[in-house]
Amino acid sequence: MWRDLFSFPNPVNEVSARLVAGGVVLMAVATLVFDLRWLTVVIAYGFLARVATGPTLSPLGQLVTRVVTPRLPVAAKPVPGPPKRFAQGIGAVLTTTAAVLWVGFGLATAGKILIGLVVVAATLESVFAFCVGCAIFAALMRANLVPDSVCTECADITLRQRAAVP
């Protein structure tokens, strides 16, 4: 039961990932524009929940995967899960640090800079399908800092090419 709860989907539907990123952009922009430092904690929780359980304990993840994505006339686009989980981890570090600095210590400028970085990365994912965390993950794999066994599909592009052939 716990193993199932604390697992991350593999593959991930890129459509859902991009929609979640869009939701993060909206919340993060609202945080900055309306000076809603408490919302930083909500955003951080979402990232921590998605790292730990995928969409299972994330309200935004649940909304997107259960309500929004199924209603779209768009085919699912499966992509490897480990790079997406790594990207969520980066988001968790940035937003948790922002929450601690801004909410915990009143360091608004530092917190806002970190939230601004999240806006940039989430916008790239949502609008352009460019996952900054996934690019970093790929670089770490190329540098042999992440073993091929973590993501065999990432390590061998031919697996993806064979799966695409009807």
Side-chain angles (χ1 to χ4, degrees):
M1 176 185 150
W2 289 108
R3 176 180 272 179
D4 292 337
L5 175 64
F6 291 101
S7 64
F8 196 88
N10 187 23
V12 170
N13 182 354
E14 186 179 45
V15 174
S16 293
R18 292 179 69 185
L19 290 168
V20 167
V24 168
V25 170
L26 294 175
M27 289 190 297
V29 167
T31 299
L32 296 173
V33 169
F34 300 111
D35 203 32
L36 302 173
R37 65 180 171 172
W38 62 268
L39 195 51
T40 307
V41 175
V42 174
I43 298 167
Y45 166 77
F47 275 108
L48 291 167
R50 288 188 296 277
V51 168
T53 69
T56 305
L57 296 179
S58 165
L60 179 58
Q62 286 293 301
L63 174 68
V64 166
T65 58
R66 293 186 185 263
V67 178
V68 179
T69 304
R71 288 174 171 72
L72 294 177
V74 179
K77 183 178 181 205
V79 295
K84 294 295 185 186
R85 188 176 211 174
F86 181 79
Q88 291 296 315
I90 292 172
V93 169
L94 290 173
T95 56
T96 300
T97 304
V100 168
L101 292 174
W102 193 1
V103 177
F105 294 105
L107 299 172
T109 302
K112 288 178 180 182
I113 288 169
L114 292 172
I115 294 298
L117 293 173
V118 171
V119 168
V120 170
T123 298
L124 288 170
E125 168 76 6
S126 179
V127 177
F128 301 107
F130 178 77
C131 175
V132 174
C134 300
I136 294 169
F137 185 88
L140 292 172
M141 285 193 78
R142 284 191 303 277
N144 293 319
L145 295 172
V146 174
D148 290 352
S149 62
V150 171
C151 183
T152 53
E153 185 178 352
C154 302
D156 186 356
I157 188 78
T158 61
L159 294 174
R160 216 173 316 145
Q161 291 168 336
R162 282 187 294 229
V165 175

